[in-house]
Amino acid sequence: MDIPVGLETTSNFNKVCRLRKSLYGLKQSPRAWFEQFTKVVKGYGFVQCQSDHTLFVKHFPEGKLAIIIVYVDDIILTGDHEEKIDLLKKLLTKEFEIKDLGTLKYFLGMEIARSKKGIAVSQHKYVLDLLNETGMLVCKPAETPMDTTVKLEESDGSVPVDKGRYQRLVGKLIYLSHTRPDIGFSVSVVSQFMNNPTEKHMTVVIRILRYLKMTPGKGLFFQRTTKKEIEIFSDADWAGLVTDRRSTSGYCSFVWGNLVTWRSKKQSVVAHSSAEAEFRAMAQGICERIWLNRLLEELRVPLKHPMVLYCDNQAAISIAKNPVHHD
């Protein structure tokens, strides 16, 4: 760090300042903060999960647990041992300057509502702010996020649009898809044309905004249930992209009947058949299943039934069942 202007030194001017603490705004400051936070939390008996390094768990002898999950400097405390959680808040107050916001209601743009039936998570205010910012509050709503007959290309001959505005809109839609799996596929499609967006690409983005105008309050609902099964559904769109003929994999996982994770992603290679595309989608679903299994093991949640993977392609299922076909 260069010596600040105005600082008088008697020695030569070739010296620099040495930082003993990371300054807010520098690239290394989040890393330094998280390293210090991890050190303090581990000192209180918490264990850092390997499946998610921002998740800390502490198990108590009576079978109860306390959980901490952190995103930069926003922290969620949860668990079924209220006394230990209150004690942890007091301990963290001694180490850091924190503010207790009470029961979780709003976190990083996500709204959380509780009832006897379960927990609802949505981004209603985020959607309304996005529509207001783009001037789409009075637009004509659309029933679907994307027209399935439209095939986008990189150079479609239409007029280029403002690249910065397009990237900002798609970036906000990507963040919105954390609680809106219904727009996951359409957002993944429009995010592939960030470098050279055209009017045709912007029209698809506007279509997503029109769909949000019709469904601003949609979100996720985690209901109380006695079901203790984990199900994963996988599917693929074979050669759906006109530009490179790659397929799109999609999967979603239901933990105890509640949708927890989902993804829509273009495959890295060109699949020669629908069976190959479906098989690659199944492989991604299996990777998600392994991650979920590790996470539940670290939370010490026993599984009474094996995880089930569903696929609608008979050829892919027969290949997966027969080890001889794996080559």
Side-chain angles (χ1 to χ4, degrees):
M1 177 182 174
D2 295 332
I3 295 177
V5 179
L7 179 64
E8 296 181 359
T9 56
T10 56
S11 58
N12 57 33
F13 292 95
N14 295 325
K15 293 186 176 181
V16 294
C17 297
R18 179 186 175 189
L19 282 176
R20 296 191 178 273
K21 289 186 178 181
S22 60
L23 293 179
Y24 190 82
L26 295 181
K27 286 184 178 180
Q28 61 268 34
S29 60
R31 179 185 178 90
W33 145 251
F34 186 72
E35 184 179 355
Q36 177 66 18
F37 181 81
T38 303
K39 182 180 177 181
V40 170
V41 170
K42 283 184 176 180
Y44 295 146
F46 280 81
V47 177
Q48 187 177 16
C49 294
Q50 294 302 310
S51 56
D52 188 345
H53 289 184
T54 63
L55 183 67
F56 301 87
V57 181
K58 184 176 182 180
H59 296 273
F60 299 97
E62 54 268 30
K64 295 184 178 181
L65 79 162
I67 299 173
I68 299 176
I69 190 160
V70 56
Y71 180 83
V72 190
D73 57 353
D74 296 300
I75 304 170
I76 295 178
L77 289 173
T78 185
D80 52 4
H81 204 312
E82 296 183 4
E83 295 179 359
K84 296 293 184 180
I85 292 176
D86 292 336
L87 177 62
L88 178 62
K89 290 179 182 179
K90 295 178 181 178
L91 293 174
L92 288 176
T93 305
K94 296 179 181 178
E95 298 287 344
F96 307 106
E97 184 179 345
I98 65 173
K99 184 178 181 182
D100 186 4
L101 300 178
T103 306
L104 183 63
K105 295 180 180 179
Y106 195 80
F107 185 76
L108 300 176
M110 301 178 189
E111 302 170 39
I112 295 91
R114 299 169 181 267
S115 67
K116 294 182 179 180
K117 295 182 179 180
I119 300 174
V121 182
S122 66
Q123 290 174 276
H124 185 239
K125 184 179 182 299
Y126 184 88
V127 172
L128 295 179
D129 292 342
L130 178 60
L131 294 174
N132 184 40
E133 179 185 340
T134 55
M136 300 291 289
L137 273 176
V138 293
C139 69
K140 183 180 179 182
E143 295 184 355
T144 56
M146 188 175 181
D147 187 358
T148 55
T149 60
V150 175
K151 301 293 183 181
L152 297 180
E153 301 180 38
E154 290 186 7
S155 55
D156 51 15
S158 56
V159 180
V161 295
D162 186 2
K163 182 178 177 180
R165 180 171 181 264
Y166 183 88
Q167 291 177 344
R168 286 191 297 271
L169 279 176
V170 175
K172 291 181 178 181
L173 291 175
I174 290 173
Y175 186 72
L176 179 60
S177 61
H178 290 322
T179 59
R180 295 293 297 266
D182 50 339
I183 65 171
F185 173 74
S186 53
V187 171
S188 69
V189 172
V190 296
S191 62
Q192 299 174 26
F193 307 98
M194 292 284 214
N195 292 330
N196 299 301
T198 63
E199 281 189 350
K200 192 173 182 180
H201 302 146
M202 183 61 80
T203 302
V204 179
V205 174
I206 297 299
R207 171 68 178 261
I208 299 174
L209 295 175
R210 288 174 53 205
Y211 172 73
L212 294 175
K213 170 65 168 55
M214 188 173 186
T215 58
K218 271 194 175 183
L220 301 172
F221 182 68
F222 303 96
Q223 60 183 347
R224 291 176 177 268
T225 176
T226 58
K227 187 178 181 181
K228 299 296 181 180
E229 297 177 356
I230 297 179
E231 300 169 318
I232 300 173
F233 296 84
S234 68
D235 201 356
D237 178 20
W238 179 49
L241 295 174
V242 180
T243 53
D244 50 13
R245 286 301 175 185
R246 293 187 187 180
S247 308
T248 302
S249 298
Y251 67 80
C252 59
S253 60
F254 288 81
V255 179
W256 300 345
N258 296 307
L259 179 62
V260 173
T261 60
W262 60 90
R263 194 178 190 187
S264 176
K265 181 177 176 59
K266 185 170 71 170
Q267 295 182 2
S268 57
V269 297
V270 178
H272 293 169
S273 65
S274 59
E276 183 182 347
E278 294 276 358
F279 192 82
R280 292 184 180 277
M282 289 174 66
Q284 288 192 348
I286 288 295
C287 292
E288 187 72 9
R289 172 237 181 256
I290 294 172
W291 177 79
L292 280 172
N293 191 39
R294 289 177 178 174
L295 180 62
L296 292 173
E297 284 179 353
E298 291 181 314
L299 294 175
R300 296 183 187 177
V301 177
L303 294 179
K304 297 181 180 179
H305 306 282
M307 297 184 184
V308 183
L309 176 68
Y310 291 97
C311 176
D312 62 351
N313 188 282
Q314 293 299 322
I317 293 173
S318 63
I319 294 172
K321 286 184 176 181
N322 192 341
V324 178
H325 291 165
H326 281 179
D327 56 350

